[in-house]
Amino acid sequence: RCAAFVAQKANEKRDGYAGNLYVMDAKTGEVRPMTSAGDCKSFFFQSEREILFAAARKSEDRERKAAGEPLTVFQRLSLDGGEASEALRLPLNVTQVKPLSDGRWAVLATYDRRMGDFFAMDEAQRRAAMDAASQEQDYQVLEEIPYWFNGKGFIDGKRNRVMIVTPQTGEILPV
């Protein structure tokens, strides 16, 4: 048995936080780092010996996210050691995951109504949505009040949405 946690540290250069995953052995109290890239924000146990966490490890994935594309890449990591490997990629900005008893996941994802149901689009529609979003990257039209919320930036048109994900097939069902 073990406990796992993410420790975050301010990163002034990136104007954000670097987070790493640690595991503590329940018997010995020994704490060991499981990641060191600084890209771990949250995790969940897929089984007693496996942890999944969201991290864009490939440079092209980081570039896509920086361009505003909704994307979350889940990495699988064995508690027995070894490198993390990609488990699943979703065209959503996932903020929380709760595994369900039937093997599916309930995920909380940030939804931007300007992008529409990006997860349900084919590749051509996604490219068109990204092109339209990049055309407006120098400005933003604000249509809702409040448009600013406590240092989070502009929230106009953005919502949290619950989705049910079937990891085996990648199927996404909005609730």
Side-chain angles (χ1 to χ4, degrees):
R1 302 262 176 195
C2 67
F5 60 93
V6 172
Q8 292 189 340
K9 183 171 124 178
N11 183 334
E12 289 183 43
K13 290 180 185 175
R14 289 183 151 178
D15 190 24
Y17 292 90
N20 287 306
L21 179 66
Y22 293 84
V23 171
M24 183 183 82
D25 186 289
K27 290 181 184 174
T28 66
E30 175 192 357
V31 175
R32 61 186 169 113
M34 298 300 289
T35 65
S36 61
D39 57 356
C40 184
K41 303 290 184 220
S42 64
F43 67 93
F44 65 97
F45 281 90
Q46 183 171 15
S47 69
E48 279 193 30
R49 303 302 307 161
E50 248 179 10
I51 291 178
L52 264 66
F53 63 96
R57 294 280 167 102
K58 296 177 183 173
S59 60
E60 59 264 20
D61 291 337
R62 289 190 297 273
E63 289 168 8
R64 290 166 63 186
K65 285 188 70 64
E69 182 175 335
L71 176 66
T72 303
V73 182
F74 288 95
Q75 307 291 331
R76 178 180 291 114
L77 184 61
S78 171
L79 294 179
D80 299 322
E83 291 290 321
S85 61
E86 187 174 312
L88 180 68
R89 53 182 52 233
L90 296 173
L92 301 167
N93 287 324
V94 176
T95 57
Q96 289 182 15
V97 178
K98 298 291 181 198
L100 303 174
S101 61
D102 64 359
R104 296 181 303 165
W105 303 345
V107 301
L108 186 64
T110 304
Y111 171 78
D112 186 341
R113 67 179 165 79
R114 291 180 185 93
M115 294 290 282
D117 284 338
F118 193 82
F119 65 90
M121 297 176 183
D122 63 31
E123 202 55 42
Q125 291 170 318
R126 288 180 183 176
R127 273 196 303 277
M130 288 302 301
D131 288 345
S134 70
Q135 301 270 334
E136 297 176 3
Q137 93 183 34
D138 291 338
Y139 63 91
Q140 185 164 355
V141 177
L142 304 174
E143 300 172 335
E144 297 178 333
I145 296 177
Y147 58 86
W148 188 270
F149 182 73
N150 239 5
K152 289 216 179 215
F154 292 109
I155 61 167
D156 182 64
K158 295 182 176 76
R159 304 287 185 270
N160 288 323
R161 234 173 143 182
V162 177
M163 310 276 195
I164 301 298
V165 173
T166 306
Q168 298 82 358
T169 62
E171 179 187 10
I172 300 168
L173 177 66
V175 176

